[in-house]
Amino acid sequence: MKCIVCGKKHGQHDVSLFGFPTGDTHEFSEWLCRLNLSAKDVMQSSKVCSDHFSQDAFEDPETLQNKLQLVGIPPGTKRKRKLKPSALPNPVRPRPLENELQEVCQAPIHVLQ
């Protein structure tokens, strides 16, 4: 698995991967908008890496550990980062459309004198 936005793989560069929200079309649409993707770009298995979220988008490790202990998972058990239910990815700059990129690349270069 790799990040649909930047291509980083799980474990590479110390990133974790997260699936797109399911069941809430508004939240799913918000993720698409922020990541500059369309629904046709995303498959059920598509993931976004932790680099696209701010630190406050993740559950506090101590709070998470306390929750795990309540369900019988021993202290010190290594767990992956967990996104808060309301977490949204950081906005990604739009990619130029292919025809816009061609226009920029084919435009004459004006040298300042």
Side-chain angles (χ1 to χ4, degrees):
M1 276 289 135
K2 64 181 182 177
C3 177
I4 191 172
V5 180
C6 67
K8 289 182 183 172
K9 296 180 181 178
H10 176 72
Q12 181 184 36
H13 307 287
D14 194 33
V15 298
S16 300
L17 296 174
F18 301 94
F20 280 77
T22 57
D24 183 343
T25 55
H26 176 72
E27 188 178 9
F28 178 76
S29 296
E30 184 69 25
W31 277 46
L32 291 177
C33 181
R34 287 172 163 263
L35 295 171
N36 194 36
L37 297 170
S38 70
K40 67 180 181 181
D41 296 326
V42 179
M43 299 186 325
Q44 190 173 3
S45 61
S46 295
K47 306 287 183 197
V48 178
C49 79
S50 51
D51 283 354
H52 299 289
F53 295 89
S54 60
Q55 279 305 114
D56 63 351
F58 298 98
E59 292 275 352
D60 174 56
E62 190 173 317
T63 304
L64 182 58
Q65 186 62 48
N66 291 338
K67 288 180 183 177
L68 294 173
Q69 286 179 345
L70 289 173
V71 295
I73 297 175
T77 303
K78 185 171 169 98
R79 299 296 292 191
K80 71 176 191 170
R81 289 180 266 197
K82 182 174 168 64
L83 286 174
K84 292 178 181 175
S86 60
L88 293 171
N90 296 325
V92 173
R93 288 181 50 191
R95 291 174 275 174
L97 298 173
E98 189 160 330
N99 59 347
E100 290 175 350
L101 188 57
Q102 286 177 351
E103 287 175 18
V104 169
C105 293
Q106 294 173 358
I109 299 172
H110 300 285
V111 179
L112 297 175
Q113 296 181 10

